[in-house]
Amino acid sequence: MCLLDRDAVRVTVDGALATVVLTDPARRNAQTPAMWRALAETGRRLPGDVRVVLLRAEGISFSAGLDRRAFEPGGIDGEASLPQLARLPDAELDATIATYQEAFTWWRRNDLVSVAAVQGHAIGAGFQLALACDLRICADDAQFAMRETSLGLVPDLGGTRPLVELVGYARALEICATGRAVHAAEAERIGLANLVVPAAELTAAAEDLAAALLAAPREAVIETKALLRGALGLSYDAQRAAERAAQARRLRDLAGLGE
């Protein structure tokens, strides 16, 4: 079933698997506010029985980041340019950026597991979109770079927290402040990539991972994901209590004693 196909985003649903594809390879899947609105809408429209979301991109690059036209005074047709955004009142500017962020926030919901299949360049907003997902499988030609700081900006699409969680503060600061490329082998070594495969095998590897995730009982995955996501914010004793409560729910459910 095709759920959405517009603004360089195509979404299909096959049972419990949703596949989101960026479909502007001629522009290396450069991102626009229209694309972000389509991605945000995707999160709102996913059927309740979807368990795994696979994010892919057509062409040689996952995403080259924000469409460079946004930096020009004229901007992208129908959209505010960055210079125009700078002139907005504080509250309006904050609300506009919050709207953009919606495209990046739903991928880590506890009822979903999201997998990004990354090839070629994942720059700036492209890097942050990959970071929005729970897991990342990369082709051996993948390159990540956070170029916002080099342009006088900051990463503002939700990417800073997962980056620090994955690689630690010092390495995250170095990656962002220098804007350098993190190639696939390093990405796997430092925890950005769960797996690196030859480019020709990327789609198959991502689909294999999706199938493995779907093989586990849904409620057990949801409970486990919630435990892992909350672990760093809890004390050891509080985390053990959360584990006990989650296990009690699972045991009762498996015994047919759930509500």
Side-chain angles (χ1 to χ4, degrees):
M1 174 185 73
C2 184
L3 186 70
L4 182 148
D5 191 357
R6 63 175 176 81
D7 299 313
V9 176
R10 183 175 64 249
V11 184
T12 56
V13 176
D14 182 7
L17 174 66
T19 303
V20 180
V21 184
L22 307 184
T23 61
D24 191 6
R27 301 184 70 87
R28 298 203 177 197
N29 298 303
Q31 298 182 30
T32 65
M35 178 187 283
W36 295 337
R37 289 191 291 270
L39 290 172
E41 182 179 342
T42 296
R44 294 191 294 267
R45 292 180 55 187
L46 282 179
D49 54 355
V50 168
R51 296 180 51 193
V52 174
V53 180
L54 176 58
L55 172 63
R56 299 175 40 244
E58 294 179 349
I60 62 173
S61 292
F62 178 74
S63 175
L66 180 61
D67 191 313
R68 299 292 293 188
R69 292 176 295 170
F71 293 85
E72 301 168 0
I76 302 166
D77 289 346
E79 308 287 356
S81 67
L82 297 188
Q84 290 168 333
L85 288 176
R87 292 175 171 81
L88 294 176
D90 288 349
E92 189 174 348
L93 177 56
D94 182 80
T96 300
I97 297 173
T99 299
Y100 297 159
Q101 290 174 332
E102 291 177 9
F104 298 77
T105 56
W106 59 267
W107 303 85
R108 292 194 173 216
R109 283 171 15 195
N110 285 342
D111 62 324
L112 303 170
V113 179
S114 53
V115 180
V118 180
Q119 80 278 12
H121 293 91
I123 308 297
F127 192 178
Q128 293 188 78
L129 186 57
L131 286 168
C133 293
D134 295 303
L135 309 172
R136 281 151 298 283
I137 291 184
C138 298
D140 52 10
D141 65 350
Q143 297 182 42
F144 298 93
M146 202 72 82
R147 296 279 169 77
E148 286 86 347
T149 307
S150 302
L151 297 169
L153 302 169
V154 299
D156 66 340
L157 298 171
T160 54
R161 177 165 179 164
L163 183 61
V164 171
E165 289 174 344
L166 288 167
V167 306
Y169 160 74
R171 197 182 301 273
L173 176 60
E174 179 257 328
I175 289 170
C176 291
T178 65
R180 71 172 179 86
V182 179
H183 295 269
E186 181 185 2
E188 185 175 32
R189 178 172 56 81
I190 66 177
L192 274 177
N194 295 84
L195 179 67
V196 174
V197 299
E201 300 175 14
L202 180 62
T203 297
E207 291 174 349
D208 286 348
L209 177 56
L213 293 167
L214 289 170
R218 179 173 194 170
E219 294 303 319
V221 174
I222 290 173
E223 291 278 16
T224 300
K225 182 175 178 179
L227 283 171
L228 294 172
R229 288 192 65 195
L232 293 180
L234 297 177
S235 68
Y236 181 60
D237 287 345
Q239 181 69 8
R240 289 192 301 119
E243 291 173 355
R244 295 195 299 272
Q247 193 71 302
R249 289 190 293 271
R250 297 307 312 131
L251 288 169
R252 293 190 178 111
D253 185 64
L254 290 172
L257 301 174
E259 296 182 2

